[in-house]
Amino acid sequence: MYRYDEIDQRIVAERVEQFRDQTQRFLAGTLGEDDFKPLRLQNGLYIQKHAPMLRVAVPYGLLSSAQVRMFGHIARKYDRGYGHFSTRQNIQFNWPKLAQVPDILADLATVEMHAVQTSGNCIRNITADHLAGISPDELVNPLVWCEVLRQWSTFHPEFAFLPRKFKIAVSGSEADRAAIQVHDIGLQATRNTQGEVGFKVYVGGGLGRTPIVGQVIREFLPWQHLITYLEAVIRVYNRYGRRDNLYKARIKILVKERGLAAYREEVEAEWAQLVDGAGTLTKDIVDDIASRFTQPAYRRLPKEDSELKTFLSAERAFARWHGRNVHAHKVPGYAAVTLSLKRPGVPPGDVTADQLDAIAALADKYSFGELRVTHEQNLVLPDVEQRQLLALWREAKALGLATPNLGLLTNIIACPGGDFCSLANAVSIPVALAISERFENLDYVHDIGELDLNISGCMNSCGHHHVGHIGILGVDKNGEEWYQISIGGQQGNHASIGKVIGPSFARAEVPDVIEKLIEYYLEHRDSAEERFIDVAERLGIEPFKKHVYGDTHQKQAHRARQLATA
Amino acid sequence: MATLIKNKRIAPDSWQLLSPAVDGGLSELPQSGDWIVPLTLWQAKRAAHGGRIGVLLENTDDPRVLAEDFDKLALIAVRFPKFTDGRGYSIARLLRRMGWQGELRAVGDVLRDQLFYMTRCGFDAFALRDDQDPQVALSAFGDFTAPYQAAVDDGARLGSARAPSKPAASALSPW
Ligand code: SF4
């Protein structure tokens, strides 16, 4: 965990007072609605369909058990007893009262938390992957770099009113689990031939209305220049990014319109003025920030736990969960465990106050009191002894947190959608629930194998539908909810944007369509190893399309003929 | 008339803003008094003036065009058409980096809640939007007492303003 020092604590305390003052002026009528709106957004406060929604920052997804208990407290005291983990590794509360938000922030500050820059046209929460710092394949620990960037971007005076929101993600390993290529800036830790640490910098990726995979603007940026270089990239964007059209305001459009080479040239010219100046990082600064992270007191354990092997062969359900929800750890004898927040009948990412307390207790008992939030809306216990896995599984199962579906079809990512979000074209959660109900049979879901299914309620793409192997997007047709379905999207090093298979469907048809896609896949995969996405890549969308629409088209053609001859 | 805050105080304002001529063409530079004039007018008629001159930059202007003129100017103003349009912040930083040391004034949609950021980007004078309470606005400069990142107002580097570090024995390695 990163632990606040006196300055961090002072900054959040001053933030609470600043926001309290702004809220009071708004409620007293001396701060107008239009003037308050960007201020509250930069504090994660939306006015939603039913009530304000408060989005609390979980910097790079790291949480302590005390913070999770605080979420439970907030859910009980100010909300309706639950919270919702978002795809941006944050937690959202859907029912707070505006006048109470300053008090919520004050409560959060007691556990080193805040809602700073969780929305608005500023630099948002910096994200990493959920196994950051513990996975065996990392070159550097990305958490420290995320924290460096968190401090730099927090209340950045120049970049609070950018043309549009700005998202940065960091990957510490070559295998990208942080979706860095669909961020405004993606940073991939790497080493040059001298073995020095630096970053490969991607720019202009993003989802939304115009999904684009980021391009490499710099192959190797030495770590000392991380901040000055990002300042140059964002300053060019701040000056020239489009402000005339909300949908063309992201950096990806500017990079696309100017061309990568021209954009790079401007950035380099600006950076030439900044390089080695204030903002240049030194080893002291980075080490100082690193020193404020606590590190679990790992025990010396054998690499493989012998008892675990026995349990795995004895308990099939345990083995299945272990196969899906347990991940390798760089420290011998340890593992990381995903607690699934996806199960039939519950909106993806939702968690009750009682569950939050129980989860905090599990973290204390099994994982040094630490947790992670994943962008797939699950929680991770990062530091579990392998010999404790069976006991943990039993407890998690009793709490409904052990659905062994990680990476499988029913681990659906879904945005809050029309049930909560005022921008939505259509609901997402009921669609997710209908699909998980249809695919209730675990054996079948395991047989289908790896499959990401993502749902967004509108083009803003909070549910990342573009990078789902199957993506579902809510669209509006004459005031009715319809769903467009795409296949072939994926995240990671081979990021790609899914292709729409054809005209959209009514809500009730969606589970059938998914079933058809799966059916076709199962018939045509060359082995159980070939995943849905592989088949979609190999065969393209046409045969899937035919399989899905074939019948209806024939029916329509048939009907048209009947009408013609009548 | 907008209230002026300068160097974190309410201050009298001797400057007048010269609007473009009614026919849309260039006005003449007034012969005396303190005038803030549009960039185009300054570029066309820069020589002939007896009093003090300031230039108004729109946030689409490139501040580098003034680089040679600093010694002839007494003030540079940057207009915020809407407070949510953040281009003016970058322009201020560029002007300070270019070495402009005179008054740098924010005009237009200038509100209490942005003064702290504007100051950190190099503005030292603010012509407040008419509805702003200047006394309330003055409190903005104390919103935060320990910023994280370097900006124009101080040369502090990230991390350097902080307490000496603890031994880094159990720290995560960023290297
Ligand atoms: S994708 Fe659209 S509907 Fe879903 S949460 Fe985002 S804005 Fe709301």
Side-chain angles (χ1 to χ4, degrees), chain A residues 415-417 421 423-424 428 456-458 460-463:
Chain A
C415 77
C421 175
L423 302 172
S428 331
S456 303
C458 78
N460 286 324
S461 316
C462 305

Side-chain angles (χ1 to χ4, degrees), chain A residues 5 8 10-11 14 22 25 35 145 150-152 154 158 161 238 243 270 285 287-288 292 295, chain B residues 86-87 90 93 97 113 117 129 143-146 148-149 158 162 165-166 170 172-175:
Chain A
D5 73 354
D8 299 307
R10 197 195 316 167
I11 287 174
E14 288 171 348
Q22 290 168 348
R25 279 186 280 134
D35 297 341
W145 297 102
R150 182 193 76 84
Q151 296 193 13
W152 159 73
T154 297
E158 186 181 346
F161 297 101
N238 190 36
R243 292 173 189 261
E270 173 60 25
I285 293 171
D287 279 342
D288 181 44
R292 273 178 260 128
Q295 176 87 312
Chain B
R87 282 177 274 201
S90 289
R93 286 199 75 164
R97 186 172 80 203
D113 290 287
Y117 285 164
R129 196 175 74 187
D143 277 356
F144 293 95
T145 53
Y148 278 125
Q149 64 293 90
L158 190 74
R162 321 192 56 142
S165 29
K166 302 154 236 150
S170 71
L172 306 187
S173 172
W175 311 113

